[in-house]
Amino acid sequence: MSSVRWQRWRLCSWRGSSPLLAVAAVAGGLLLIAGVPAPSIALFAAYEGAFVLVPGVLLYRALGGGGGGALDQVAIGWPLGYLLAVLAYLLASATGVPVVLAMSYPVVAIGAALLLRRRTALPPAAGGPRRASRSAWAAAGVCVLVLAYVGAGYFGQTPLPRAGASVGYEPDLLYDLSLAAEAKLRWPLGEPLVAGRPFGYHAFPYLDLAAASAVTGLELPLLLFRLQVVPMAALLVAQLVWAGARLGAGRRVGVLAATIALLLGELDLDPDRPWLFANYLGTAVWGPFNHGFLLGALFFVPAIVLLGELAGPAAPSRARRGWLTLALLIVGCAGAKGIALLPLVIGALALWTGWWALSKHELNRRAATALGGVAALLVATYFVQYGGQSRGTELAPMTTPAGMTAARLLGEELAWPALAVGAFGALPAVVVGCALVVIDRDSRRSPAQAWLLALVLAGLAPLFLFFQPGDSHLWPVAYAGLAGALLAAQGLIRLWDSLRERWDTRALVVGGAAWLGLLGAVVSASKVGGLDLPDERASVISYASLAGGLLALAVFWASRTPRARRLAAAALSALCLATALDAPLDVLPEYARRVLGEPRAELSGGLLQGLRWVEANTPSDAVLAASSERLITDPAPRYAHYSAFSQRRVLVEGWAVTGSDETVGARVRLNRAIFEGADQAALATAMRDYGVTHLVIDRREHGANPALARLAPLVYSNPDVDVHALR
C-alpha cells in the first residue's frame, strides 16, 4: 500500500499519543495488580483489537464515516465492533454454525477493505499534533481516576475465584455471570436461576462476554470480574470527550462532562452511609462497574450525538449512510439495555419535536421519523427480547423519591420539601450545570442543547413516576445523566469563565483544592474524633447546602451586580466540588474494610470447588436442584452462586433477582420436599417436569436427609458439598 493511502487508512498518528500510552500503562498495571496474568491481558487486548476495534472502524468507514480523525473513528467504530462480535456469536448460537467460522468476520472485513481501497474515496486521517494537547492530558487524567475507582470499588471488592479460598460477591454480579454462562453454553437462552423459564432480559452484554470467552478461551469470571470493564470504562471517557467536541462545545466540555458523569456523585460526605439521596442511582452514574450499563452507554453516547446531528437543522444533505450507522447503534442500545434506553430516546425525541414545532413553527420530519422508528423497535424489543414482561415495574408516582434515605430521615411532615430538593441532591453538578444553561440570558439555546435537555427531562420521568423492586427503573436516569453531563459541562464552564474575570486560573485551582482538603479534613476529624452527627442532623446539613445552592442559582440569574454574581458562582462551584468527595468516601473505606478486615465468605472454598467440579464433569444441559436454607428463611432470596459457578441451570435459587411467577412457590416446595423429606415422588416430578439431573447439597447449612443417598448415587463429595447424580 502506498504511503499516501496508508496515511488515509491509518487509525491515528503516533505523534501526540503519549496520553493514550499512559492510560494503557495504567490499565495494564492495574490488571496485573488485580491478579490477571500478563498472557491473559495480552490475549484479551489482541481480541479487542482484532475482533472488535479494527472490524468496527472498517465498518464505520465503509458507511462513510472516519473523516473526523482518530477519536471519531474510535468513539463510533469501537461500539460497532462490539455489535459485530455479538451478532456473529448470536448467528453461531442460533444456527449451529461453528464459532470459529462465525467469528471469522475480521478476516472478511480486512480483506474487503484491502480489495476496495483503490475504489473508495477515503477521507484523509487528521494528522496528529507534534505534542499532546492539554485536553488530551486532562482526558487521560480523568480516565486514570476512573480506572483507580474501578480498581478500588470493583476489583478490590470482587475477588477472583481461587481454589480453596472463601469469597463473597454482590448478587447482581453473580446473576450476570450466570447469564453469561447461559449465553456461552446453551441456545435458545433460558433463565438459569429458574430452569425452564423463558429468557426475558437484555442479551447483548452476555453474548459479548460469551463471544470473548469462546474466541480467547479465557474464563467468564476473569472477563466479567476484571478484563471487560477496563477498556469499556476508558472508551466511555473518550466518547464523552469526543461528544463534547462533536456537539460544537469543544473538548474541554467533553473532559468536564466525563468528570461530572463518572467522578461526581451525590451531596453526601458520610463514609458510613453509601447513599443519602441517590439510593441505587448514585452507583449507576459514577461507578462504571456494571457490564450491561457500560455496554449500553457505549452505544448510547454516539447514538445521541448522531441523532442530534442528523435530525438537527444542520443535517448533511446526503446522510443516508449516517442514518444507517445510527440505526446500528440504536439496535445496540436495544440489545444492551433496551427497556431503559429506547423509552429514554423516545421521550426525548417527543420533547424535542414539540420544542421544534413551538419555536420554529414547523414539524421536524427527520426527528418524527426517528421517533416512529425507535418506537417500533421498542415494541419489537419488549415482546421478542423481554417476552412482554415488566419485571415488576409499576406506575407509582413519587414512590422512588420517597424511598431516599434523606426523605425518610426528615419524617413525613417534611416529606414533600425533601422530595423536591432530593432530586437535586442526587445529581447536584448535573442540575446546577443544566440550570445555568437554561437561565443564561446572553445566548439562545441551540438545537443541540435543546436535544440534551430533552434527554435529561425524559430521563427524570422514571425517578418520579415509576417503581421497580430491583431499582432497574432508574437506569434511564443514569443514562440521562450522561447526556446531562454534556449539557451541564457547558454551563459550568461558563461559571468558571465568570470566576476567571476576577481571579486567575491558578488561584481558582488552589482555592478548589484547599476547599476539598478542608472538607476531607473535617470528615476525617469527625470520624477519628468520634464526632459523628446523627443521620437526621447530617441530612439537615445536606438539605441546607442544597437550599443554599438553589439560592445561589437564583442570585446568579437575577442579579446584575458583578460581585453578587461572582459570590454566587463561587458558592455553586463549592457545592459541585463537594460532590467529588462522595465517590472516594463511599469506595475507599469499604475497600479498606475488605482488605484489612474479614472478607465476605458467602461462598466457601469447598463449595466453589464442588461447583467447579460440576462445571467440568456434567453436560452443559444439566439441571441442578440445590439445597439452600435461604429458600426457606429469606422471603426474597437474591443469591445466584450455584448457577454462576457451576454454569448450569438450577431448579430454583435466588428467584427475587428475576421476579416471581406462578411456578416459584411450587418449585420451592418441591425443592424442600426433596432435600428435607427425601420424597421420591417429588424427585420424580423434578426430573420429569423440570429436567433435574443432579442434586447439590450444601453441607455448611443443614445437610440433607440421609435417605437421599439411596435415591441418587453420590458422585462427588468434600466437607462443604455433596453432588448426587440422578441419571
Side-chain angles (χ1 to χ4, degrees):
M1 186 184 298
S2 68
S3 60
V4 174
R5 288 202 164 270
W6 168 247
Q7 292 293 325
R8 291 181 176 181
W9 275 98
R10 66 183 181 176
L11 180 60
C12 64
S13 170
W14 284 104
R15 296 177 296 174
S17 60
S18 300
L20 175 62
L21 296 176
V23 171
V26 170
L30 176 65
L31 289 171
L32 288 172
I33 294 172
V36 183
S40 297
I41 297 174
L43 182 59
F44 179 72
Y47 168 80
E48 282 287 309
F51 286 84
V52 181
L53 177 59
V54 171
V57 168
L58 291 175
L59 174 60
Y60 178 45
R61 285 183 162 180
L63 295 173
L71 191 56
D72 178 73
Q73 296 170 56
V74 168
I76 298 180
W78 203 327
L80 289 178
Y82 282 122
L83 182 62
L84 285 175
V86 165
L87 294 179
Y89 191 81
L90 182 62
L91 174 67
S93 300
T95 63
V97 173
V99 173
V100 174
L101 181 60
M103 298 298 290
S104 64
Y105 62 87
V107 177
V108 177
I110 294 172
L114 292 174
L115 289 174
L116 296 175
R117 71 185 189 275
R118 296 184 181 277
R119 304 179 184 178
T120 307
L122 300 172
R130 293 189 179 275
R131 293 184 179 180
S133 65
R134 290 182 180 180
S135 62
W137 279 110
V142 172
C143 193
V144 167
L145 283 175
V146 170
L147 292 179
Y149 282 137
V150 168
Y154 186 46
F155 295 170
Q157 301 178 33
T158 310
L160 289 173
R162 306 287 188 189
S166 298
V167 292
Y169 298 98
E170 293 296 330
D172 287 349
L173 193 61
L174 292 186
Y175 183 50
D176 287 343
L177 184 58
S178 299
L179 292 177
E182 182 74 14
K184 180 181 178 181
L185 298 175
R186 292 174 284 275
W187 185 267
L189 301 180
E191 177 53 64
L193 273 62
V194 185
R197 180 192 286 180
F199 185 81
Y201 206 44
H202 36 261
F204 279 16
Y206 314 109
L207 291 168
D208 172 55
L209 289 165
S213 179
V215 173
T216 63
L218 297 171
E219 293 189 346
L220 289 172
L222 185 64
L223 289 166
L224 179 61
F225 297 167
R226 292 294 183 269
L227 290 169
Q228 282 281 30
V229 69
V230 170
M232 286 185 166
L235 177 57
L236 182 56
V237 173
Q239 284 184 328
L240 290 169
V241 175
W242 163 82
R246 184 86 176 234
L247 291 171
R251 287 193 179 182
R252 67 171 184 160
V253 167
V255 173
L256 183 55
T259 303
I260 294 170
L262 301 176
L263 297 177
L264 302 188
E266 62 175 353
L267 188 65
D268 179 21
L269 301 183
D270 188 348
D272 294 329
R273 179 183 53 212
W275 303 306
L276 179 61
F277 298 101
N279 297 349
Y280 187 64
L281 177 62
T283 301
V285 174
W286 73 258
F289 306 155
N290 183 282
H291 178 70
F293 170 74
L294 272 177
L295 186 62
L298 297 183
F299 290 119
F300 175 69
V301 172
I304 62 173
V305 172
L306 289 184
L307 190 50
E309 291 178 350
L310 294 170
S317 57
R318 300 178 64 184
R320 183 176 302 176
R321 290 187 176 183
W323 282 104
L324 184 55
T325 301
L326 174 62
L328 292 174
L329 292 171
I330 293 294
V331 168
C333 290
K337 281 279 187 183
I339 206 65
L341 286 170
L342 297 185
L344 171 60
V345 174
I346 290 170
L349 281 170
L351 290 173
W352 197 38
T353 303
W355 168 84
W356 193 290
L358 291 174
S359 62
K360 300 182 181 298
H361 307 289
E362 63 179 8
L363 177 66
N364 187 333
R365 297 183 182 276
R366 294 185 295 270
T369 301
L371 175 60
V374 178
L377 181 60
L378 173 62
V379 172
T381 300
Y382 179 68
F383 287 103
V384 174
Q385 182 168 246
Y386 294 95
Q389 302 176 29
S390 64
R391 290 193 169 231
T393 303
E394 57 182 325
L395 182 65
M398 304 306 292
T399 300
T400 300
M404 289 180 175
T405 304
R408 296 199 305 270
L409 291 174
L410 290 184
E412 294 183 2
E413 64 276 6
L414 295 176
W416 283 100
L419 299 183
V421 184
F424 182 19
L427 297 169
V430 172
V431 173
V432 168
C434 292
L436 289 170
V437 173
V438 172
I439 67 177
D440 186 5
R441 296 174 174 175
D442 299 328
S443 61
R444 297 180 61 185
R445 260 64 64 196
S446 67
Q449 290 175 332
W451 167 234
L452 293 175
L453 184 60
L455 285 163
V456 173
L457 295 176
L460 287 176
L463 177 64
F464 294 102
L465 298 179
F466 296 99
F467 176 74
Q468 198 262 357
D471 286 327
S472 292
H473 67 296
L474 292 178
W475 285 120
V477 191
Y479 286 114
L482 298 176
L486 288 165
L487 182 61
Q490 301 176 42
L492 292 177
I493 282 181
R494 292 176 186 172
L495 191 73
W496 173 270
D497 290 339
S498 69
L499 289 173
R500 289 200 302 172
E501 295 175 0
R502 177 64 177 83
W503 299 289
D504 62 22
T505 301
R506 185 175 302 178
L508 291 173
V509 171
V510 171
W515 169 243
L516 289 177
L518 176 63
L519 287 177
V522 170
V523 172
S524 300
S526 67
K527 294 302 174 184
V528 173
L531 301 177
D532 291 348
L533 290 173
D535 282 343
E536 292 81 359
R537 293 186 182 179
S539 300
V540 170
I541 292 174
S542 294
Y543 272 111
S545 301
L546 292 170
L550 293 175
L551 178 61
L553 270 174
V555 170
F556 191 82
W557 170 67
S559 176
R560 290 296 185 180
T561 306
R563 180 179 178 82
R565 286 175 63 87
R566 282 197 299 269
L567 289 176
L572 292 171
S573 299
L575 178 66
C576 293
L577 277 176
T579 66
L581 293 178
D582 177 58
L585 289 177
D586 285 347
V587 170
L588 297 181
E590 181 65 20
Y591 176 70
R593 283 191 288 267
R594 295 285 177 87
V595 173
L596 302 178
E598 283 292 324
R600 290 186 303 175
E602 295 129 356
L603 186 64
S604 70
L607 179 58
L608 177 61
Q609 185 178 356
L611 295 176
R612 300 302 289 267
W613 182 91
V614 172
E615 176 192 355
N617 293 275
T618 62
S620 61
D621 61 350
V623 178
L624 312 180
S627 67
S628 177
E629 191 72 23
R630 275 176 286 185
L631 272 179
I632 303 169
T633 60
D634 191 343
R638 297 179 59 85
Y639 66 96
H641 48 259
Y642 295 111
S643 58
F645 290 105
S646 70
Q647 298 191 10
R648 300 295 181 265
R649 293 174 179 171
V650 179
L651 171 64
V652 60
E653 52 175 333
W655 53 264
V657 178
T658 67
S660 181
D661 62 14
E662 65 277 1
T663 71
V664 165
R667 290 169 184 261
V668 172
R669 291 189 295 272
L670 190 65
N671 205 73
R672 191 171 183 177
I674 292 172
F675 290 104
E676 293 185 4
D679 189 321
Q680 191 168 1
L683 197 60
T685 300
M687 295 172 63
R688 181 186 67 250
D689 295 348
Y690 302 108
V692 173
T693 60
H694 293 78
L695 305 180
V696 176
I697 301 173
D698 191 342
R699 299 174 61 183
R700 302 170 307 155
E701 295 182 342
H702 57 75
N705 193 315
L708 276 177
R710 296 192 296 271
L711 301 178
L714 182 69
V715 293
Y716 176 85
S717 180
N718 70 37
D720 288 347
V721 63
D722 289 339
V723 180
H724 297 260
L726 297 178
R727 36 170 117 153

